[in-house]
Amino acid sequence: MSEAPHLTFDLDKAGMSNGHLVVPEGADCEALSLPVFSFNKGEGPQLLITGGCHGDELEGPIVARRLVEWLPEAQVCGRIVIAPVLNPPAVKACSRNTPIDGLNLNRVFPGRSDGSVTERIADAVSRTLLPWADTVFDLHSFGLNWDFPPSSTTHPIADPVLMAKTLQMAEAFKLPMTLVWEHPGSQGMFDTLAQNQGKVFVCAEFGGGTVSFDAIAIYEAGLRNALIALGLVEGKPDRPTFRHQKVTQTLETRRSSDELKSPSRGIFEPRCSVMDEVNAGEIIGKLYSMDLSTADAIDIRAPGTCIVYAIRSGAYVDVDEGVALVARPVNPNH
Amino acid sequence: MSEAPHLTFDLDKAGMSNGHLVVPEGADCEALSLPVFSFNKGEGPQLLITGGCHGDELEGPIVARRLVEWLPEAQVCGRIVIAPVLNPPAVKACSRNTPIDGLNLNRVFPGRSDGSVTERIADAVSRTLLPWADTVFDLHSFGLNWDFPPSSTTHPIADPVLMAKTLQMAEAFKLPMTLVWEHPGSQGMFDTLAQNQGKVFVCAEFGGGTVSFDAIAIYEAGLRNALIALGLVEGKPDRPTFRHQKVTQTLETRRSSDELKSPSRGIFEPRCSVMDEVNAGEIIGKLYSMDLSTADAIDIRAPGTCIVYAIRSGAYVDVDEGVALVARPVNPNH
């Protein structure tokens, strides 16, 4: 019989310590050792930071790793546990899903101890890292194929008190966008599991495109702002500059109408930038046949007054492939 | 016997016309029809603009297509022929090489009429589009995985007169970087073929990362500057703003020492931005094992005083994978 998932060190130990979360072996894969860093300064918020759930979103692991450098100096209270790489096989393969079983780690929570490797990772995280945390930051991003602003996101939560607390926490990142994201499939998400246990869970969607030095600096600033808001770190929050602007906006999406899809195959040309406000009927992008003739060009237009918060990189796209995502400012009475 | 490669319309026709370059069928693939646009205003420079040689570099096709919109109004003399998509199968697959035969179109020039599809494309371009041109702009980019400034590039050319003319043409784009690129493998490149025929050939390397609206605007401005310099279009050249700066620099590389490679497998973190000047020994990036422990971290340092002109997106990289490219200002006595 295989061993149970376990940590190789004691999270209750004072000060900085590190080791691994051991995900037991199974029929499909040997045991995995996920790196874990713990910073324990006693009473105060109990924060879990996770990254590398999807292997093609490296902002999270890198920013989490940078945090490990300066946290010992900066932390004033509470406990912060950082697991920068939840899914090493996916990171190695630079793939969203785990290459071994093809599963999306963020759709199989709480996982299964007797399941395939992705389910065993979820089970190990659910059983060892999640229970003691009152707040979770899960570091994601939009990957290379999309332009997307550095953001903190959450989903609509039935409990209004938890919704308000979560939104307030998300806004504390002071990133260019805070997004309340009505998501079609929340089944098996880490968010849902944590929220069902009454925890504050914020997903950082740390942007799209190249993982550059400048991008990483913005993401690190956002995370630092959130730690300051929690009182874990002293300092003054600083709204990072993104493309010449120091702006933050809180937006929300509607499930049914806010993804614009490619009406046919062709070369997609983005015709606006992320965070642009557009009016109903304004052109967001163009789609050309491979022939590039004007006769075939299709305008992709805004469905109403909205803000374009994500736009696909110019590329050949398939029919029904998402090319833009739009949202609107959160209703103040929300 | 299959037909010869041919154009479906007459390039000598006055005014704007368009049609296709037909690449004959072969054993591996049916005939291809590459879109071609011609703008003929009589005497003057004879310019060929090509894009979509590599299917994961969509800046070229999109910017070339945008040119088609405003060129009829703007052109004052000469002839401009635009072939925005040289390699439709690669563009459809979003892949650098042609998926059918696995070949890199920019390594098989002048091609073969009885070869595989990539060789037949090269043969068709060499025989029908190249002969009448005195200047060629081939629109490339660095793809999604690298941060790279919008650039015009050339390679060292043995003939000093052609070298000087080519460098002057490249600098006329007024993009953030003009690069004289000492390339390890120039065999079969479109550049080499055209230069051996005495033509001015400039490769636009239109940047890396997301193909966004803002990026496309910079690239289009660069191409417009070059058309103004040739006298094909009237107007005042405008140095585009790239990341808050209106700077242009002319750099050169050395073949043997200017690519920094990953010394082992791991998570690469970029620690500088493109166009940053660094001194010998300064950290350009960090490489972490999957464990992310400090003990394993490897600093990737500048080999001398240089400018980092390309840096890999943060990602898991393999041993010996390129992570940064550096260059130095062109020697004024060049």
Side-chain angles (χ1 to χ4, degrees), chain A residues 40-46 76-79 232:
Chain A
N40 193 349
K41 288 218 171 168
E43 292 297 301
Q46 304 288 305
V76 293
C77 70
R79 180 159 55 167
L232 287 163

Side-chain angles (χ1 to χ4, degrees), chain A residues 20 35 62 65-66 84 91-92 144-145 209-211 213-214 269-273 290-292 294 313-314 316, chain B residues 20 35 65-66 84 91-92 144-145 209-211 213-214 268-273 290-292 294 313-314 316:
Chain A
H20 294 93
I62 291 172
R65 184 61 188 75
R66 290 177 65 93
V91 168
K92 275 188 191 163
L144 291 170
N145 293 313
T210 311
V211 184
F213 176 72
D214 311 292
E269 177 191 350
R271 285 265 175 144
C272 65
S273 303
M290 188 63 82
D291 208 38
L292 289 169
T294 305
S313 185
Y316 189 80
Chain B
H20 295 92
R65 183 62 188 74
R66 290 177 65 94
V91 168
K92 274 186 192 166
L144 291 170
N145 293 313
T210 311
V211 184
F213 177 71
D214 310 293
F268 175 69
E269 177 192 349
R271 284 266 175 143
C272 64
S273 303
M290 187 63 82
D291 209 37
L292 288 169
T294 306
S313 184
Y316 189 80

